[in-house]
Amino acid sequence: METGDPMADQELARLCKENAFLSQRLSRLSHLQAELAEARHQIDQITRRFRRMQDFMRHAVRTESRSELAALTCEAVVDILDCELGLLWCLRCAQGRNSLYISPGPPLLPATIDDLAAWAEAWTEGRDHPLPVSLDFHDHLIAPVLDDEGNPTGILIAANTTAKAGIHGPFDEAAMRSFAAFAGQVGAIMESRRRREMINAQIEAIRLSEERLSLALQGSNVGLWDWDFRSNRVFYSEQWKKQLGYSGDEISDALSEWSDRLHPDDRAAALSQGFDFFRSGTRTYSGVFRLRHRDGNWRWIAATGFVVRGADDKPRRAVGTHIDITAYKELEERLRSAKEQAERANRAKSGFLAKISHEIRTPLNGMIGSFQLLSGSRIDDEQRKMVELGETSGRWIMDIIGESLDLARIEAGKLVLASEPFDISVILAEVIEIKRAKAAAKGVRIRCVVPPGLPASVLGDSGRFRQIVTNLVGNAIKFTERGTITVGLRRARPTDDTAVPRIELIVADTGIGIPEELAEAVFQPFLQIQPNDGSFSEGIGLGLSITRELVSLMRGSLGVTRRRRGSRFVVTLPLQDAPAHSAAPPSVAPPRTRFEGSVLLVEDDPISRKVGTLMIQRRGLRVDTAADGGEGLRLLLAGHYDLAFVDCWMPVLDGLAMTRGFREQAHPARRGMPIIALSANTQPSDIAASRAAGMDHYLTKPLMDEALLDCLNRFAPASERPPP
């Protein structure tokens, strides 16, 4: 618009231009006002969210359980983001309903929870897997809940459903940032709670442990001590003080409270042991000593301890326990005294039995020897029967004495087993051959069953194995009036690949049998089962008892079963096969019965001297006699004898001293002359003493003709003259 006035037009143009500029500035100002209003709105929204996060933090730290914290978290999601739903899926919970927390709204269906679990697994593994369609989410945010190490412990979800899309707007970038920050807070709180729960659990465990320890110490009479090396002060527990009769305030924390109460006999050793332990660097300590009780008596204490070291590995403290073992020591002393008394009683019993054995064997030597001499003379059949009865009775008495001594040795633990190669089949055959005549006299047949494949030689005690077979076969004959006794050997089934081979000895009879209720009692000493006809059984009931003890010593087993007729005993023994080179070589020469040469018999008992002279003479030998060891030594040193039989126990000079004297004083060419011990003692110690004195062999009284013959075959010169 122009006015025609240049000046006015120019001013009007300027005003219009300023007006346009002002309008532009007003428009920009209006836009800035709108932006400022939006910024204020966002700040207000962030502030509101921050305050709600603070409220959440304030309430979260006071929650009592994880489920309460999870529920509060879901509520806070809805409150902070102004959304419809908040969900928390706990990855470290058990799979199932308890893993999901949601607020608000009803619980999800199980199928939906299963779908959500599959999605959560895929999401944590980084795999692309859509949320379940059944959730019907229109808009949602997802953030991981992480622990201190960055590992996911849960998944936090904020969501709006399609049904309420018009009510809740979409999540903007600020909401995303707030949600991520909130998820970080939740992770920190959950990690803090987890650590607090761990600490509380540890504190509770320590409390319970201390409570249990306190109760245990009170109930077990265990006192505690704790020695601080830096202050040289010692903590003594109430129970420690109580062990010595004191209360809490009557004993200080000085080390002298312990050291001054040590028994004089224990003091030096206890102090030396204790200080050596603390200086040596070892970790543990133990000792036993006596401490003076308040009443003046001495209490036995078992002490244990260990050293606690600092970061520089220097010892800081020693901690340990005191246990009052006075009652145990008193019991130990009573047991030791009882053991000594039992051992003395066993020795007295063994000595008594040995003495009785000696006193009985000496007259038996004369009696049985006389019967043996008579049996070799010209007598009629009736007289021979009487002689055999007398000899059998004498052998019976010998068996009783032998069984009694064996039982005494076993009970005293003095029976020692040998380990030598022997043929079990040969021993079995020999025992059966000896017992066959006695069985035949009763009309009983003995059958031997030895299958092929058994070892030719085993390692063990052949004498004790023979005794086991003899006892079981003799027992079967005793209680079998008619029928058959079967004796057999076989390999036992192995129990494992490394087990020592085992051999089974079976003795089965058709006798009176053993009642089931007495199956174990028959192995008791002095117990016998009497036949139903009221007849008397010979023996004193020690055979089976000794047999079981011998089997046990040989690490085997013995059992008995009742058959339809009779009994069946099974012995199982671990017998290692003997190496081929250790098997005893077979005898090739038949035993001799006639000899020549001169013999000296040294025997103080006149009857035994007379009988022994006759028994030796009938084998073709010349015999001189002496009544004591002194006379015997003079004769041996002066004469030229091929062999000497010497009684071990005699007046003036016993057989052992006589033998030592001869070995020392005789001409070197004569010192090796065989000297045979004669004794009524059968203890292993007696046999060992005779060997130590220089005797070559040991014969027990009564002197049996077969034992004498075996001895002469080994030591006497042979005779070419035929027997008379």
Side-chain angles (χ1 to χ4, degrees):
M1 179 178 69
E2 294 181 359
T3 60
D5 184 354
M7 296 273 308
D9 289 340
Q10 186 177 3
E11 181 66 19
L12 181 62
R14 186 183 64 79
L15 291 175
C16 287
K17 186 176 180 180
E18 288 181 359
N19 183 56
F21 176 75
L22 289 174
S23 296
Q24 185 179 7
R25 294 291 300 270
L26 286 174
S27 175
R28 183 173 180 78
L29 181 61
S30 297
H31 182 70
L32 288 174
Q33 286 178 337
E35 288 182 351
L36 180 61
E38 179 64 22
R40 286 177 177 173
H41 174 71
Q42 290 181 359
I43 291 172
D44 290 342
Q45 191 176 44
I46 291 172
T47 302
R48 180 179 58 81
R49 287 173 178 168
F50 178 74
R51 289 174 178 171
R52 289 178 180 178
M53 287 184 190
Q54 285 184 320
D55 291 341
F56 165 76
M57 294 285 289
R58 189 167 53 254
H59 289 90
V61 296
R62 293 197 295 265
T63 54
E64 298 294 333
S65 64
R66 293 187 180 185
S67 59
E68 184 180 352
L69 174 60
L72 183 65
T73 300
C74 294
E75 293 173 1
V77 168
V78 173
D79 187 41
I80 292 170
L81 298 182
D82 193 22
C83 62
E84 182 181 350
L85 295 175
L87 295 90
L88 176 61
W89 184 269
C90 294
L91 298 177
R92 293 183 180 176
C93 298
Q95 294 294 326
R97 296 177 183 273
N98 292 336
S99 299
L100 175 67
Y101 298 90
I102 182 170
S103 177
L108 299 179
L109 295 175
T112 302
I113 293 178
D114 292 340
D115 292 341
L116 192 59
W119 168 83
E121 180 179 359
W123 190 86
T124 55
E125 294 176 356
R127 293 185 284 112
D128 187 16
H129 191 79
L131 280 167
V133 177
S134 56
L135 291 175
D136 192 27
F137 286 167
H138 172 71
D139 192 16
H140 64 272
L141 296 175
I142 301 174
V145 178
L146 306 176
D147 61 15
D148 287 351
E149 298 179 356
N151 299 315
T153 61
I155 303 174
L156 194 61
I157 302 175
N160 296 315
T161 63
T162 304
K164 296 184 179 181
I167 300 176
H168 301 281
F171 295 111
D172 54 18
E173 187 175 342
M176 295 179 187
R177 289 194 298 269
S178 298
F179 187 63
F182 178 69
Q185 286 184 331
V186 173
I189 291 176
M190 286 190 169
E191 184 67 10
S192 174
R193 170 176 290 278
R194 185 184 68 83
R195 290 186 175 183
R196 187 168 69 248
E197 289 175 350
M198 288 177 58
I199 294 172
N200 290 339
Q202 292 172 352
I203 293 173
E204 179 64 14
I206 293 172
R207 186 192 67 79
L208 289 175
S209 178
E210 290 178 345
E211 182 179 346
R212 294 190 188 104
L213 177 60
S214 176
L215 293 173
L217 292 176
Q218 292 177 15
S220 61
N221 192 28
V222 176
L224 295 180
W225 53 269
D226 187 342
W227 181 13
D228 189 326
F229 296 158
R230 290 168 293 186
S231 65
N232 200 31
R233 313 309 296 176
V234 185
F235 163 78
Y236 303 104
S237 71
E238 292 297 319
Q239 195 63 32
W240 192 100
K241 301 170 185 176
K242 187 178 178 181
Q243 287 175 353
L244 302 179
Y246 295 93
S247 59
D249 56 350
E250 294 179 303
I251 288 184
S252 69
D253 59 357
L255 181 62
S256 59
E257 296 283 8
W258 168 74
S259 59
D260 290 351
R261 289 180 169 82
L262 285 167
H263 191 284
D265 294 343
D266 302 338
R267 180 179 177 82
L271 290 176
S272 175
Q273 183 184 13
F275 287 116
D276 286 348
F277 154 68
F278 298 134
R279 288 193 296 264
S280 65
T282 56
R283 291 283 181 183
T284 58
Y285 155 81
S286 64
V288 176
F289 43 78
R290 285 164 288 181
L291 291 178
R292 187 178 62 254
H293 193 272
R294 186 172 191 168
D295 61 11
N297 292 319
W298 297 100
R299 310 297 293 179
W300 280 97
I301 301 296
T304 60
F306 63 92
V307 170
V308 179
R309 298 181 179 274
D312 55 0
D313 201 37
K314 293 182 179 180
R316 300 293 189 216
R317 306 159 49 210
V319 182
T321 62
H322 272 192
I323 301 177
D324 188 340
I325 60 171
T326 306
Y328 299 103
K329 281 289 186 179
E330 292 173 349
L331 177 60
E332 184 181 75
E333 177 61 26
R334 290 197 297 270
L335 289 175
R336 186 190 61 80
S337 177
K339 180 175 180 289
E340 289 178 353
Q341 291 179 7
E343 289 174 347
R344 285 196 298 269
N346 266 332
R347 288 194 297 268
K349 180 176 67 175
S350 298
F352 173 75
L353 288 173
K355 180 67 174 176
I356 291 296
S357 170
H358 183 276
E359 295 302 319
I360 294 177
R361 284 175 181 270
T362 299
L364 274 178
N365 187 52
M367 184 179 72
I368 294 178
S370 299
F371 286 135
Q372 291 178 123
L373 290 170
L374 281 173
S375 65
S377 63
R378 293 183 178 88
I379 55 178
D380 58 33
D381 292 343
E382 187 64 27
Q383 291 171 332
R384 188 170 301 282
K385 289 180 181 179
M386 298 299 292
V387 169
E388 290 175 354
L389 285 174
E391 185 177 352
T392 300
S393 299
R395 290 178 182 269
W396 186 8
I397 296 174
M398 283 183 54
D399 289 342
I400 292 173
I401 295 172
E403 289 178 348
S404 301
L405 289 175
D406 278 345
L407 184 63
R409 291 191 195 105
I410 291 171
E411 290 179 346
K414 294 183 178 180
L415 192 66
V416 180
L417 297 176
S419 180
E420 57 191 7
F422 67 95
D423 191 326
I424 53 177
S425 302
V426 170
I427 290 181
L428 191 70
E430 290 174 352
V431 172
I432 290 175
E433 190 60 32
I434 293 172
K435 296 290 186 180
R436 194 181 299 279
K438 185 175 182 179
K442 299 178 67 174
V444 176
R445 185 169 65 95
I446 300 181
R447 187 167 66 95
C448 181
V449 180
V450 180
L454 289 178
S457 181
V458 297
L459 289 176
D461 193 320
S462 60
R464 296 304 174 184
F465 180 76
R466 183 185 299 273
Q467 187 175 357
I468 290 170
V469 178
T470 301
N471 286 352
L472 291 179
V473 174
N475 185 76
I477 294 173
K478 183 192 304 185
F479 293 104
T480 303
E481 294 300 324
R482 64 179 64 86
T484 303
I485 296 172
T486 303
V487 184
L489 293 171
R490 69 182 182 190
R491 280 196 183 274
R493 293 180 179 177
T495 54
D496 55 69
D497 295 337
T498 60
V500 175
R502 299 179 301 153
I503 300 294
E504 284 185 351
L505 165 68
I506 302 101
V507 179
D509 61 61
T510 57
I512 63 174
I514 299 174
E516 187 175 342
E517 63 274 13
L518 295 179
E520 281 298 318
V522 294
F523 297 108
Q524 299 300 317
F526 308 110
L527 186 142
Q528 282 187 313
I529 298 176
Q530 299 300 331
N532 295 328
D533 59 7
S535 61
F536 176 73
S537 296
E538 63 181 36
I540 58 174
L542 288 179
L544 289 180
S545 176
I546 292 173
T547 299
R548 170 168 276 192
E549 294 293 343
L550 291 176
V551 170
S552 178
L553 283 173
M554 297 172 75
R555 300 184 182 276
S557 61
L558 170 60
V560 59
T561 56
R562 181 182 177 89
R563 307 168 69 204
R564 187 173 61 86
R565 289 183 59 196
S567 304
R568 183 174 184 266
F569 289 83
V570 178
V571 176
T572 305
L573 295 174
L575 295 173
Q576 182 72 52
D577 294 2
H581 65 274
S582 66
S587 178
V588 293
R592 296 172 287 156
T593 59
R594 296 292 294 176
F595 308 87
E596 63 180 14
S598 59
V599 173
L600 176 64
L601 173 61
V602 187
E603 170 64 68
D604 64 316
D605 180 64
I607 297 176
S608 296
R609 191 165 61 246
K610 179 63 176 176
V611 171
T613 299
L614 294 174
M615 292 179 69
I616 297 171
Q617 283 178 340
R618 76 170 182 166
R619 295 302 176 186
L621 295 160
R622 297 184 305 276
V623 181
D624 291 337
T625 62
D628 60 65
E631 182 184 0
L633 180 58
R634 287 192 297 272
L635 290 174
L636 278 181
L637 293 174
H640 296 278
Y641 296 99
D642 299 297
L643 186 64
F645 289 91
V646 181
D647 187 18
C648 290
W649 311 112
M650 295 179 294
V652 181
L653 191 68
D654 63 44
L656 304 183
M658 191 203 90
T659 301
R660 284 192 291 266
F662 175 76
R663 299 296 188 206
E664 293 170 358
Q665 302 174 36
H667 188 277
R670 296 285 301 150
R671 288 178 186 173
M673 183 201 70
I675 299 178
I676 311 303
L678 287 175
S679 179
N681 294 330
T682 60
Q683 298 286 351
S685 58
D686 297 317
I687 300 174
S690 71
R691 296 289 174 84
M695 292 180 164
D696 298 280
H697 194 53
Y698 196 93
L699 292 177
T700 58
K701 299 176 182 178
L703 182 58
M704 296 299 177
D705 192 52
E706 56 267 26
L708 175 63
L709 193 60
D710 177 70
C711 178
L712 293 175
N713 269 280
R714 292 178 59 185
F715 298 102
S719 172
E720 300 298 330
R721 293 175 295 175

